[in-house]
């Protein structure tokens, strides 16, 4: 982990790396730098977590030991041993050794054992609940991004019309109201006041008796249960995409290459998609990276509201019960998925716009 | 005497500029109204704490403007009293995060080199860590029972996006002719920063502040909903949280109790965000010289 990974921008501005040309090429490679940054970020986050669990005064390990002695009448040695097993930490080792062991455990996927449901490893909890969050958040983001780009494009072509004004008002309202409040509003209005949706049956991730399989029935059931979370993600993010896409498209429409494409007599549809749309959507990818973090981060309130058992639901339950091993594991996994999603968005951006790979 | 006239002049110009964007001006008026109701209202409207069993869950009427809750208490008085804590915490958070973002964003842009690399590296890392879960996990470790402390805590973690925006703004200003001219005239760093740069960045700073304000309301109410902030007094977030945990949202008659705090928060966020359109005009130094 060299220090150069923290300062990729300065490297590109002033290439200070000396050495043979191929090592320099690797260090300055777009993909290598992005991956190094992602790894570095994951390391920083795990270190923060270690600090919280082990070093803060009154940290959870000490609290847990004290609780065992108090409530179960254990002696200090036994309580300490049980705590060490739960957190997968050797409490007798010096602090630096504990830190190295902790990092080693993380790499092997050993995140400790849950306090509230003894015997269940944190890794197995994550494996069981994470796919549902990835499914609902991923579907929601892709839907809202596509929809936002299409609507934004439409707004830019018909600007100052009735459609543009209506959609602008809609977009500013939905993007300024907190997403969990929109979630509660969906429950209150669709479920309770108007009784359009059977919200009680829509809770959870699957109906009883349905097993995951590549069948139409399973897919339908999964979408049925994820409908409200996905609707919330789409409603609360689509406004931002629409407004940015509109602004970006209006800017692109004035560019010379669009005028030239028109002069060449290209079909309108081709100009809209290949010339205007592609270029106008580019800046939105940078925003997508920020949105991923925000939506995944906010998902744990949304999942709690709809009782959708994804990783966020587990996190809020773990926080409520102060189940620290689950809390640290789930938080780490959420962070890592956001970092990986950012990495993917960066690569996608690099592929769509080759200019940034050089810069 | 002259000073008072100058201030009045400045205010007049500002207000005139703000009316150029109608939506923004409406947002500004709405924000002012909410602030007045929440900050001055409590002195005139007493908080209704008396349980009245014969008046449970009444719809809005002339006596109870927003209806009554599960104990027959007036919801309007709770809304009036429930705003000041939310706004106070948000303001503390917004001040801190704007301060960090503006100071270090400008520093990063002007120092360049290793300082810039370090600040931006750190910003990038904090930006990728999902903030809300981080705050929630931290709140499970740290007791957040003091409003000022809660505000500082929120502000301490919400500056990265603003810092990046401020830095890019400062980078572009740095190369402008008028800065170059000031430098050539040897006017000194203090003059360049406070007379040339800050007025030009004022729009950015003010908008950053309002956006930080709404972000802080978002996280604050979210933490309250999760039960992580043990605030005793009633505020909008606590009202929703109580209605939520007591299952009132599944009860048809309880609609006013759950809708009013939601509307209050939504309206506040919407007004503040819409207001930025007018602030953009009011703090733009170019427009100011034109009037």
């Amino acid at each position: 982990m060299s220090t150069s990974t923290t300062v990729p921008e300065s490297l590109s501005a002033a290439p200070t790396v000396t050495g043979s040309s191929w090592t320099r090429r690797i260090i300055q490679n777009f993909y290598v730098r992005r991956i190094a940054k992602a790894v570095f970020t994951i390391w920083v986050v795990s270190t923060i977590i270690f600090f919280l669990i082990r070093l803060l005064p009154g940290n959870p390990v000490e609290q847990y030991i004290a609780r065992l002695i108090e409530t179960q009448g254990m002696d200090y040695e036994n309580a300490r041993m049980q705590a060490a097993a739960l957190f997968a930490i050797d409490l007798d080792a010096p602090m630096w050794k504990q830190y190295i062991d902790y990092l080693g455990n993380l790499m092997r996927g050993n995140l400790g054992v849950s306090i509230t449901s003894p015997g269940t490893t944190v890794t197995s909890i994550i494996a069981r609940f994470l796919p549902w969050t990835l499914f609902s958040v991923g579907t929601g983001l892709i839907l809202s991004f596509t929809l936002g780009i299409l609507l934004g494009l439409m707004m830019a072509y018909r600007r100052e019309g009735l459609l543009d004004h209506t959609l602008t008002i809609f977009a500013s309202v939905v993007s300024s109201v907190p997403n969990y409040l929109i979630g509660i509003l969906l429950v209150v209005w669709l479920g309770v006041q108007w009784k359009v949706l059977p919200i009680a049956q829509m809770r959870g991730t699957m109906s009883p008796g349905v097993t995951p399989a590549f069948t139409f029935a399973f897919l339908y059931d999964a979408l049925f249960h994820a409908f409200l979370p996905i609707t919330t993600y789409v409603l609360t993010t689509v406004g931002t995409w629409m407004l940015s896409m509109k602004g970006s498209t209006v800017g692109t429409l004035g560019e010379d290459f669009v005028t030239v494409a028109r002069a060449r007599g290209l079909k309108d549809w081709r100009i809209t998609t290949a010339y205007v749309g592609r270029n106008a959507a580019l800046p939105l990818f940078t925003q997508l990276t920020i949105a991923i973090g925000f939506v995944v981060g906010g998902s744990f309130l949304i999942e709690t509201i709809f009782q959708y058992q994804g990783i966020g639901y587990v996190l809020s339950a773990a926080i409520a019960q102060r189940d620290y091993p689950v809390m640290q594991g789930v938080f780490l996994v959420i962070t890592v998925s956001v970092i990986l999603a950012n990495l993917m968005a960066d690569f996608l951006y690099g592929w769509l716009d080759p200019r940034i790979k050089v810069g | 005497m002259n000073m008072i006239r100058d201030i009045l002049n400045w205010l007049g110009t500002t207000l005139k500029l703000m009316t150029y964007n109608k939506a923004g001006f409406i947002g500004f008026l709405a924000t002012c109204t909410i602030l007045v109701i929440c900050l001055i209202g409590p002195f005139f409207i007493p908080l209704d704490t008396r349980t009245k069993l014969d008046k449970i869950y009444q719809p809005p009427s002339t006596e109870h403007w927003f209806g009554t809750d599960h104990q027959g208490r007036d919801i309007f008085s709770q809304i009036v009293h429930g705003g000041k804590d939310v706004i106070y915490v948000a303001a503390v958070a917004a001040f801190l995060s704007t301060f960090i973002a503006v100071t270090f964003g400008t520093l990063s842009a002007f120092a360049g080199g290793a300082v810039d690399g370090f600040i931006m590296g750190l910003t990038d890392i904090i930006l990728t860590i999902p903030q809300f879960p981080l705050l929630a996990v931290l709140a499970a470790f740290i007791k957040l029972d003091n409003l000022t402390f809660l505000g500082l805590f929120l502000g301490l973690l919400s500056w990265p996006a603003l810092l990046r925006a401020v830095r890019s703004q400062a980078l572009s200003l740095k190369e402008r002719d008028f800065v170059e001219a000031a430098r050539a005239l040897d006017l000194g760093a203090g003059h360049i920063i406070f007379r040339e740069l800050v007025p030009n960045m004022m729009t950015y700073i003010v908008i950053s502040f309002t956006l930080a304000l709404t972000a802080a309301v978002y996280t604050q109410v979210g933490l309250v909903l999760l039960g992580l902030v043990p605030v005793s007094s009633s505020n909008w977030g606590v009202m929703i949280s109580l209605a939520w945990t007591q299952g009132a949202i599944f009860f048809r008659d309880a609609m006013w109790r759950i809708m009013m705090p939601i509307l209050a928060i939504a309206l506040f966020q919407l007004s503040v965000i819409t207001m930025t359109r007018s602030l953009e005009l009011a703090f733009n130094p170019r427009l100011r010289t034109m009037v």
Side-chain angles (χ1 to χ4, degrees):
Chain A
M1 207 85 60
S2 69
T3 48
S4 63
T5 50
T6 53
V7 286
E9 279 83 3
S10 69
L11 263 185
S12 63
T16 47
V17 187
T18 48
S20 60
S21 71
W22 67 268
T23 45
R24 190 185 308 150
R25 212 177 296 150
I26 286 181
I27 290 172
Q28 290 187 347
N29 182 289
F30 171 73
Y31 297 101
V32 172
R33 278 200 341 229
R34 285 299 137 103
I35 292 173
K37 202 173 103 187
V39 171
F40 185 75
T41 311
I42 294 173
W43 173 71
V44 169
V45 173
S46 356
T47 308
I48 293 176
I49 292 174
F50 177 79
F51 179 79
L52 286 176
I53 298 279
R54 263 322 271 140
L55 295 178
L56 271 189
N59 62 56
V61 177
E62 279 167 16
Q63 271 180 27
Y64 186 67
I65 295 174
R67 215 174 69 200
L68 282 182
I69 296 172
E70 219 169 89
T71 58
Q72 311 205 358
M74 268 189 203
D75 56 87
Y76 182 70
E77 275 312 305
N78 274 329
R80 232 172 108 87
M81 264 166 63
Q82 189 165 339
L86 273 182
F87 285 92
I89 284 179
D90 179 9
L91 293 172
D92 293 322
M95 205 48 96
W96 63 268
K97 178 83 177 16
Q98 286 185 28
Y99 178 62
I100 302 281
D101 283 349
Y102 163 80
L103 286 184
N105 274 331
L106 286 189
M107 272 178 226
R108 281 192 297 273
N110 179 4
L111 296 165
V113 185
S114 160
I115 295 180
T116 45
S117 38
T120 323
T121 60
V122 176
T123 320
S124 73
I125 294 177
I126 289 167
R128 197 169 129 215
F129 293 104
L130 182 65
W132 295 107
T133 299
L134 294 183
F135 163 69
S136 57
V137 170
T139 315
L141 264 182
I142 291 169
L143 268 179
S144 84
F145 194 66
T146 324
L147 200 67
I149 281 183
L150 290 178
L151 288 175
L153 206 58
M154 231 156 79
M155 282 157 78
Y157 270 86
R158 312 222 172 124
R159 55 185 174 279
E160 300 306 321
L162 180 67
L163 181 92
D164 179 27
H165 287 304
T166 325
L167 285 179
T168 306
I169 292 174
F170 167 78
S172 4
V173 172
V174 289
S175 54
S176 52
V177 179
N179 52 7
Y180 46 81
L181 293 186
I182 296 227
I184 294 180
L185 286 178
L186 286 179
V187 172
V188 168
W189 289 100
L190 295 182
V192 181
Q193 299 293 335
W194 296 333
K195 294 195 192 303
V196 195
L197 295 175
I199 43 160
Q201 288 163 43
M202 292 175 92
R203 287 180 188 163
T205 47
M206 283 182 293
S207 303
V210 178
T211 45
F214 283 104
T215 58
F216 185 72
F218 168 69
L219 191 69
Y220 172 77
D221 192 58
L223 282 174
F224 174 71
H225 286 278
F227 178 75
L228 282 172
I230 291 177
T231 310
T232 312
Y233 300 140
V234 172
L235 268 182
T236 46
T237 49
V238 78
T240 324
W241 304 132
M242 278 159 60
L243 295 179
S244 335
M245 184 63 189
K246 183 197 161 189
S248 172
T249 309
V250 171
T252 315
L253 280 172
E255 293 273 351
D256 290 343
F257 65 84
V258 178
T259 319
V260 172
R262 280 216 187 94
R264 277 165 62 203
L266 292 180
K267 285 203 186 72
D268 277 350
W269 175 245
R270 192 165 150 67
I271 296 176
T272 309
T273 51
Y275 286 73
V276 180
R278 185 174 163 163
N279 278 292
L282 269 180
L284 269 73
F285 277 90
T286 358
Q287 292 181 30
L288 183 64
T289 58
I290 296 176
I292 295 169
F294 188 72
V295 172
V296 173
S299 79
F300 83 115
L301 259 174
I302 308 289
E303 287 180 359
T304 314
I305 286 168
F306 297 122
Q307 308 270 302
Y308 187 78
Q309 279 114 0
I311 204 80
Y313 181 82
V314 175
L315 180 63
S316 72
I319 289 175
Q321 296 161 345
R322 299 292 191 273
D323 190 341
Y324 293 104
V326 176
M327 239 165 76
Q328 66 159 1
V330 171
F331 175 63
L332 196 65
V333 162
I334 289 182
T335 310
V336 170
S337 9
V338 170
I339 292 169
L340 290 183
N342 274 328
L343 197 65
M344 261 160 59
D346 270 352
F347 285 176
L348 191 66
Y349 190 39
W351 175 70
L352 283 172
D353 187 356
R355 281 172 301 183
I356 70 140
K357 271 195 278 188
V358 191
Chain B
M1 214 47 214
N2 253 337
M3 212 173 85
I4 296 170
R5 210 176 55 209
D6 280 354
I7 291 172
L8 284 179
N9 247 335
W10 184 87
L11 274 178
T13 321
T14 310
L15 279 177
K16 192 174 167 196
L17 282 169
M18 286 181 94
T19 53
Y20 287 177
N21 187 312
K22 282 198 198 91
F25 194 65
I26 294 173
F28 170 70
L29 290 180
T31 311
C32 291
T33 315
I34 296 176
L35 285 180
V36 166
I37 291 176
C38 293
L39 301 181
I40 302 174
F43 293 111
F44 296 98
I45 299 158
L47 182 62
D48 184 5
T49 47
R50 220 154 34 90
T51 307
K52 293 176 284 291
L53 289 173
D54 54 329
K55 287 189 172 170
I56 288 173
Y57 288 137
Q58 287 195 347
S61 60
T62 44
E63 194 189 345
H64 301 290
W65 290 3
F66 291 173
T68 56
D69 70 356
H70 62 299
Q71 294 183 332
R73 296 172 304 188
D74 183 42
I75 293 176
F76 179 69
S77 78
Q78 293 177 23
I79 294 285
V80 169
H81 282 260
K84 57 179 189 302
D85 285 359
V86 177
I87 294 170
Y88 173 72
V89 171
V92 171
F95 266 115
L96 182 62
S97 70
T98 310
F99 177 76
I100 296 176
V102 171
T103 315
F104 288 95
T106 330
L107 178 75
S108 189
F110 280 87
V115 177
D116 185 32
F118 177 75
I119 293 178
M120 288 323 284
L122 190 72
T123 308
D124 269 359
I125 287 172
I126 297 180
L127 196 64
T128 31
I129 302 174
Q131 254 183 49
F132 198 33
L134 178 67
L135 280 167
V137 168
L138 285 175
F141 287 93
I142 306 163
K143 264 209 176 60
L144 295 171
D145 39 14
N146 177 318
L147 288 179
T148 311
F149 185 58
L150 174 64
L152 293 177
F153 176 70
L154 293 178
L156 211 53
L157 284 164
S158 52
W159 46 266
L162 303 181
L163 189 143
R164 267 165 81 146
V166 169
R167 174 180 172 266
S168 64
Q169 181 72 7
L171 273 182
S172 86
L173 280 178
K174 196 173 125 183
E175 308 299 329
R176 299 279 173 81
D177 289 343
F178 60 87
V179 178
E180 200 86 333
R183 217 176 266 151
L185 288 169
D186 200 16
L187 286 172
H191 178 95
I192 293 177
I193 292 174
F194 291 106
R195 305 292 298 180
E196 312 285 343
L197 291 172
V198 170
N200 276 288
M201 293 207 342
M202 212 46 208
T203 329
Y204 245 78
I205 296 171
V206 171
I207 290 172
S208 299
F209 178 78
T210 53
L211 293 181
L213 201 67
T214 55
V217 170
Y218 174 89
T219 32
Q220 180 196 168
V221 175
L223 289 179
V224 170
L225 274 186
L226 283 169
L228 286 169
V229 187
V231 205
S232 50
S233 65
S234 72
N235 72 47
W236 298 340
V238 176
M239 285 171 81
I240 302 175
S241 168
L242 279 179
W244 170 260
T245 45
Q246 295 172 351
I249 60 163
F250 302 109
F251 187 50
R252 278 192 89 146
D253 291 344
M255 189 186 83
W256 299 104
R257 184 186 164 200
I258 182 94
M259 281 307 290
M260 285 309 164
I262 289 184
L263 277 181
I265 293 174
L267 210 63
F268 180 72
Q269 302 281 77
L270 187 64
S271 326
V272 170
I273 289 177
T274 318
M275 180 176 69
T276 54
R277 296 192 201 174
S278 269
L279 293 181
E280 225 164 276
L281 300 172
F283 287 94
N284 190 328
R286 288 182 196 204
L287 288 179
R288 195 165 274 278
T289 47
M290 268 161 51
V291 174

